[in-house]
Amino acid sequence: MPGEDWRGRIDAGEGDSGRRWHQVVQPLGPDSPPGTALLGFACDEGVSRNQGRTGASEGSRALRRALAPLAWHGAARGPLYDAGDIACADGDLAAAQRALGERVAALLAAGHFPMLLGGGHEIAWGSFQGVAAALDRSGRLSRYGIINFDAHFDMRRGEPNSGTPFLQIFQSFMEMRRPFRYLCLGISRASNTPALFQTAQECGAHWLLDEALTWPGWASACRAIDEFIEPLEALQVSVCLDAFPAAAAPGVSAPAGRGLAPDLALSLLAHVLERAGHGTAKSKLVLAEVAELAPRLDPDGRTARLAARIVHDIVTPRPHTSV
Ligand SMILES: [Mn+2]
């Protein structure tokens, strides 16, 4: 149990409403009532195979440390639990992804909302395996969609790594004879070759370029998101921290030269959550994940802070009274 990462100040005089994350998080037990379960994926193998800068295996612990002191405003989904980490042993990436999937399936079966802390973006192939196992019988997989904030499609061909998960998911949907629904927000033309754009197009992926995601483009981006979410019965949200500019998120394998402004991206994320009904009884949001935090490349912790704010915003959606 990574309990030592959950530390922070205690405002003893303010009672329950003065608490922070480290004071409310509990270890997940077999009989815990449904809630939000933080689950780490301590894995570098995908980034390493993708010839990237490693360090993501330490990401989940750094994220817990960054979350620990944040003010606690309550979760959209029940009590807050720490379900620990799934590690990648002996470079066996497929086994680690399978183990993550089994854990995710068990969390979903127990009624929890899995909030995953990466780990490289190969986390998405593990988390999807869990969702597929849990939703298979419900029919919701036929109306399943993934929204990915990312500079990259992560639909590369070849040996599975951190750059391939969404092509693996596409192939899985083809085998199931179900539609692949995938919307990428923040794709960089400078970081994806024409061949990668062609693969994405052939697979039926949708995307909005980083250069389209500006405040003047806000309304049309929201329309694209609304059209994507409307027919869905289930939604997975993936956030790759290299969607943000290097100045905001240096601690990733492949920092972006341009990237999405954090205020715009977090507003888009809030829009996605609201459209998915997150926090309501009929929420479409099945699982969320934040990937690619590499603390050793993040000397002043700013990437961890941004990642923690993203996790905070997902776990604690903003009140509907705000605009
Ligand atoms: Mn990615």
Side-chain angles (χ1 to χ4, degrees), residues 121 148-154 162-163 165-166 240-242 291-292:
H121 215 168
N148 181 26
F149 290 80
D150 204 326
H152 310 93
F153 290 112
D154 288 349
S162 63
F166 298 100
C240 191
L241 292 166
D242 67 27
E292 297 279 331

Side-chain angles (χ1 to χ4, degrees), residues 20 50 54-55 66 95 103 105-106 118 135 146 156 170 223 229 247 300 303 307 318 322:
R20 298 169 188 276
N50 200 14
T54 56
R103 201 67 205 286
L135 295 192
I146 300 170
R156 286 182 187 276
F170 165 79
R223 269 197 304 278
I229 293 178
D300 69 359
T303 316
R318 63 183 178 183
S322 63

Side-chain angles (χ1 to χ4, degrees), residues 238-263:
S238 205
V239 180
C240 191
L241 292 166
D242 67 27
F244 296 96
V252 297
S253 173
R258 177 172 180 154
L260 303 181
D263 66 329

Side-chain angles (χ1 to χ4, degrees), residues 17-160:
S17 63
R19 290 181 302 171
R20 298 169 188 276
W21 281 54
H22 70 93
Q23 291 170 278
V24 299
V25 68
Q26 312 164 38
L28 183 72
D31 301 319
S32 299
T36 297
L38 305 173
L39 174 62
F41 188 53
C43 182
D44 252 331
E45 186 61 22
V47 173
S48 162
R49 290 187 190 181
N50 200 14
Q51 301 165 46
R53 304 190 303 162
T54 56
S57 60
E58 300 286 324
S60 58
R61 293 199 58 190
L63 243 169
R64 287 186 184 90
R65 287 194 292 271
L67 286 164
L70 299 187
W72 178 248
H73 288 270
R77 297 275 298 273
L80 180 69
Y81 302 111
D82 189 343
D85 278 345
I86 301 287
C88 178
D90 304 324
D92 192 342
L93 176 58
Q97 289 168 315
R98 216 161 34 240
L100 180 67
E102 285 164 8
R103 201 67 205 286
V104 164
L107 291 174
L108 290 169
H112 298 297
F113 172 66
M115 175 71 242
L116 306 194
L117 317 174
H121 215 168
E122 68 271 18
I123 192 174
W125 174 237
S127 58
F128 175 73
Q129 289 181 58
V131 168
L135 295 192
D136 189 35
R137 275 162 236 267
S138 72
R140 288 171 85 197
L141 262 190
S142 298
R143 288 181 173 270
Y144 190 76
I146 300 170
I147 292 183
N148 181 26
F149 290 80
D150 204 326
H152 310 93
F153 290 112
D154 288 349
M155 298 186 78
R156 286 182 187 276
R157 300 172 199 274
E159 184 195 30

